[in-house]
Amino acid sequence: MATIAGLIFGIWGDWPYLVEEHRRLRVWQWLPMWLGDLSALFWFISAIVSPSNPSRYGGEAGTNSERYQRRRAFLVSMTLAIAMDFAHTAHLHWQEYADFKSAEVAKGEVTSVQIYEGHDTTRYYVRVRFRDKANRINGEEVRVQRHNAEGLPANARAALANGQVPIPVRVSFDPGLPSRCWLTDAGYQDGDRVYLMSYLVLCCQIMSMCLFAVLLRESHRRGEDPWWEVFQRPLPLMVTSACMFVFGLIEWIGGNLRP
């Protein structure tokens, strides 16, 4: 219940951010980005549906083999899912740079500015309007951190800090996905991109699973059957839930990403 509650709270708090980030991705990229968490959800549900964890010592015949096979299936599937998730996350990271370098550049203007003072930096949520090569008008929101805004011309930087619009800017955009755009002079880097969140969750999952495996192996070497072994299958989603809860809490009380 705590794991599900943490996930719900985290998704609620991060919802505007998650929507913004997913709009910048193509639909086929959504699934591999969450592959590790979907696999974790599967094993979490399997632990609820089939929670039994028979003892290696004194159980029914064949218990050891069944238990080993279940553990092996869990470890193999989670390792593959996390590896694929990590590889896709790294690809998204690289693609952010590559797409920015190959993006079309158009003249545009900032039509609105929302300024959020976080604990670490100031973030500007700007609404930009620009025309593509087909002469279609596109209106998109771009998130810019204060240190990235230093690349803008002095007059545009001052207007942005004061929320004075309209502001003439250059906009780099993907012709096939205009919602994937950047302020050209602010660069492509953003400390809040979704692949950074994915990196953090995956690293926490990897470390927790490795630590759990080491501790469990040591217990088995001593001939012990620890009670906490039942948390092996739910562990990855518990880690995801804890991370999402922290992210949501930051959103709710800190305003570091967006209140």
Side-chain angles (χ1 to χ4, degrees), residues 181-201:
C181 59
W182 308 262
L183 296 189
T184 306
D185 297 314
Y188 77 96
Q189 296 194 45
D190 186 313
D192 297 331
R193 287 292 171 226
V194 71
Y195 52 75
L196 299 177
M197 173 190 282
S198 183
Y199 279 141
L200 180 59
V201 173

Side-chain angles (χ1 to χ4, degrees), residues 58-75:
E60 299 177 359
T63 290
N64 294 349
S65 177
E66 292 173 3
R67 180 163 149 172
Y68 172 77
Q69 290 176 0
R70 184 168 60 245
R71 184 183 302 133
R72 182 179 180 182
F74 164 76
L75 291 175

Side-chain angles (χ1 to χ4, degrees), residues 148-167:
N148 297 121
E150 295 299 320
L152 295 171
N155 59 339
R157 190 166 62 247
L160 187 65
N162 295 320
Q164 298 174 345
V165 294
I167 307 171

Side-chain angles (χ1 to χ4, degrees), residues 210-228:
C210 289
L211 178 60
F212 193 96
V214 170
L215 294 176
L216 185 60
R217 185 177 179 84
E218 289 301 313
S219 295
H220 287 171
R221 281 181 176 176
R222 294 193 299 268
E224 299 174 357
D225 241 349
W227 62 268
W228 42 264

